[in-house]
Structure formats: C-alpha cells, structure tokens
Amino acid sequence: MKTINSLLRTKWFQLLATLVLAIVLFVYVTGTIGNVRGNRNRQNQLITTQTADLNVPLNALINDNKYYLSGVPQSIRVNITGPSGLVTAAQNSRTIRATVNLRNPKIGSQRVTVRLTGLSDTLVTKLDPATLTVNVSRKVSRMVPIISTYNHDNIASRYVVSGFKVSQRRARVVGPSDLVKIVDHLSTNLDVPANTQSSITRNVPLKAVDRNGSVVSVEINPGTVIATLDVTSQYAVNSSTRETKTVSLNPTFTGSRAISTFNVTLSTSSVQITGDRSAIDRIDSIPIAVNVNKVSNTGGVLTIRLPLPKGVTEISPRIIEVALTSRSANSSSGGN
C-alpha cells in the first residue's frame, strides 16, 4: 500500500492521469457535437422545402367485359412540394397510384376526377390533369361474313385454279357499338406469288371493313383463317379449235326478298373459261343465280358452283362465294 500511495503521489503519474482524462473528455465532447450536428442535419433536411415532378401511371376502374373506354392517358404528371426528405421518398416510391372510378359509368362523354393514393398528407400535390373527359361505349359483338380473294393474274400460263376455300365463312367482331354496326364484312387476301404452278395453303389475317372498303378498328375472333388455293395443270392445247380467256361474272337474284336490302360481295369478279373457240368467242360473262331466300334477314354467305355453258369444258375457279349483308343491320347497333 505504501508503494501504491507513493506511486500515486509522484509527479509523472499525476501528469499521465491528467492526460488520459483530457483525452476521454475530448472524445466525449466530439461525439456529442457530432450527434447534435447529425440530428440537426436530419431536421434541416425535413424542414427544407423541395419541389419535384412525378410521372404516375393512371388506371381506369371499369368493367372491361362490358365497356370500351377512350380518352384515358397512360400516366399523369404530379407536382409535389414539401420537406425534402418526404419528396425524395416519394420519388423513390413504387406505391403511388392515380385512378379514375368508372365502375358505374354512363354511356357517352363524361368528366371524371383523378384520385391519387400513396403520398404523404404533408406534401402539397398538383395533378396535371386533375380531371379528364372520357368516352364510354358498350361492348357488343356480332357474326359477319368472310370474303376471301386472291390474285388470279399470278397463276402461271397453262395452269388453272381448281378450287379456293377458307377454313370458315363467318367470324365474330367485338368492339364499341358505333364501330361494330358499320362492319360490312371481313376481308382476307391470299398472296399468290408470280408464276404460281402449285397449290398454296396459308394462314391469312382478317380485317374488318365497312361498305366502302375502309378498315374498321374492332377485335376479330379468330383473327386469322386458313386459305387453300388448288392449282392444277391445264389440259394441253393440242387443237387449234380450243381457247382460254377470262370473262366477268354476272349475278342475277331470285327469291321473295328485295336485293336492294342487301350489300353483295363476290369472292372474285372474273373467271377463266376454256373450251371450243367458237363457243368461247361468244361468251363475255358467266351468269350466277343467287337465291336471297337462302340467307337470313341479316345476310349470309352462299357457295355457288358455276354451270358450264355449252362448248365450255373448264371454268376456273368453278366454285365461288357470294356474301350478302343486310343494309339495315349495318345501320343499327349490332348484338351477339
């Protein structure tokens, strides 16, 4: 004990103890000041006002099975102002949503308010746009005929078309009522390469067109059909009395319904005939008998086998399709 007491009273030990105490106090004060500054910086960050623009996805709450909606952009711009920390958090957030509620819409044009969720109430927000003018249409559907065509001029010389068909005659169009009602038929064209000498089978797309041939933007189900063109070699022309030429088709209409109530479309407007030269020279067109009683009030597609006129041995194509669509169906809203 005497030794320890003697040591504690020495001058160099007292100096060492004073130095250690000074170091401890310095470390404590420095740490305290750092914590205060850190807290102050965090407080300043929250207190400092900042402004930013966000691009927020816009979602329409509507029954897609019943209605079509137009006039809704994919996103809106949201200007936010507030503490910089909250603004930064909002810029990094993936939970901010903008919506318009059309769960019980009215048909036609209407004004709707954009609602915003996922932002702190502390932030001041400004939506651009805050309201939208949208248009709601009822979704309707109906079956319409398919008219298929091909380029007969690309068939090689001394080859003829012995048959042309598609996998189905009608397809369903779906869309807004004002567009569905003007669809006249579905058009498809088989691309025939130049100098074709063999049969072709391809998957071809359908497009909806009105009575003027303009494309109508509606859904088509199915969107494609399978088209088959049968091409065979023509009989060898061994006799100078045989001839081949192209003539037009001349439809005549029978039945109790007035043809003026229908739009008529032929799968081809001309055919190729082969036969005795004296008979071929006298033929400028081939008559087609179309019985309108064989289609419904809304129309339909008739498959007609062309008759062989006297002196004609071949007609290519021999079978054609005639589509009739009701004019009154095109001027009123379509149904299922």
Side-chain angles (χ1 to χ4, degrees):
M1 287 296 294
K2 290 181 179 181
T3 302
I4 295 174
N5 289 335
S6 176
L7 180 62
L8 293 175
R9 284 195 293 270
T10 61
K11 185 176 181 179
W12 66 266
F13 181 82
Q14 292 177 354
L15 289 174
L16 180 62
T18 301
L19 178 61
V20 171
L21 180 61
I23 292 173
V24 171
L25 288 174
F26 175 79
V27 171
Y28 173 76
V29 171
T30 302
T32 302
I33 293 173
N35 289 335
V36 170
R37 286 178 178 174
N39 291 333
R40 186 174 298 168
N41 287 338
R42 284 190 290 271
Q43 290 174 355
N44 289 338
Q45 187 178 17
L46 287 174
I47 294 172
T48 302
T49 300
Q50 184 178 338
T51 298
D53 287 331
L54 306 178
N55 199 41
V56 179
L58 181 60
N59 182 40
L61 305 178
I62 192 169
N63 187 339
D64 294 331
N65 294 324
K66 287 186 176 182
Y67 305 103
Y68 268 97
L69 179 64
S70 59
V72 178
Q74 292 184 345
S75 62
I76 65 167
R77 190 179 69 172
V78 179
N79 179 270
I80 58 174
T81 302
S84 59
L86 295 179
V87 171
T88 301
Q91 289 176 310
N92 296 326
S93 175
R94 295 185 179 181
T95 61
I96 304 171
R97 295 289 184 270
T99 59
V100 288
N101 189 350
L102 288 160
R103 288 191 176 94
N104 296 298
K106 65 178 183 180
I107 302 302
S109 180
Q110 55 210 275
R111 197 82 173 165
V112 292
T113 301
V114 180
R115 303 294 183 188
L116 198 64
T117 59
L119 280 175
S120 170
D121 294 337
T122 306
L123 295 171
V124 177
T125 60
K126 182 179 179 181
L127 283 65
D128 182 22
T131 60
L132 297 169
T133 299
V134 301
N135 189 73
V136 178
S137 302
R138 291 193 186 278
K139 179 181 284 191
V140 298
S141 68
R142 68 183 178 96
M143 299 294 290
V144 294
I146 297 172
I147 300 299
S148 51
T149 58
Y150 65 93
N151 188 352
H152 191 278
D153 295 337
N154 284 349
I155 304 300
S157 176
R158 298 186 181 278
Y159 284 81
V160 296
V161 175
S162 56
F164 179 54
K165 63 182 179 179
V166 293
S167 54
Q168 60 189 77
R169 298 180 183 177
R170 296 167 70 86
R172 184 175 296 277
V173 294
V174 183
S177 56
D178 56 336
L179 293 181
V180 170
K181 71 181 181 181
I182 66 172
V183 176
D184 184 74
H185 64 275
L186 299 176
S187 173
T188 181
N189 181 68
L190 177 63
D191 182 27
V192 179
N195 200 39
T196 292
Q197 301 179 10
S198 59
S199 299
I200 303 171
T201 298
R202 287 181 183 165
N203 204 35
V204 291
L206 296 171
K207 62 180 179 180
V209 296
D210 62 16
R211 67 178 64 182
N212 298 317
S214 299
V215 176
V216 183
S217 181
V218 292
E219 297 176 28
I220 304 173
N221 187 22
T224 61
V225 291
I226 299 173
T228 301
L229 183 72
D230 296 322
V231 178
T232 57
S233 177
Q234 191 182 48
Y235 291 131
V237 183
N238 297 322
S239 172
S240 60
T241 61
R242 291 176 61 81
E243 183 178 329
T244 297
K245 76 173 184 179
T246 300
V247 296
S248 61
L249 297 176
N250 181 27
T252 58
F253 303 95
T254 61
S256 58
R257 294 192 186 97
I259 190 57
S260 59
T261 62
F262 294 96
N263 294 314
V264 181
T265 308
L266 304 180
S267 59
T268 181
S269 60
S270 62
V271 293
Q272 193 176 63
I273 60 174
T274 301
D276 181 76
R277 174 171 295 178
S278 60
I280 296 297
D281 288 343
R282 293 194 300 267
I283 300 174
D284 294 320
S285 63
I286 300 295
I288 310 172
V290 180
N291 187 348
V292 295
N293 287 344
K294 291 185 177 181
V295 298
S296 66
N297 291 331
T298 58
V301 178
L302 299 178
T303 300
I304 298 178
R305 183 177 176 85
L306 301 179
L308 286 175
K310 185 177 180 180
V312 175
T313 58
E314 287 184 62
I315 296 181
S316 176
R318 183 71 185 274
I319 298 175
I320 68 162
E321 291 183 338
V322 180
L324 295 93
T325 54
S326 172
R327 293 180 183 271
S328 59
N330 288 336
S331 62
S332 60
S333 176
N336 289 329

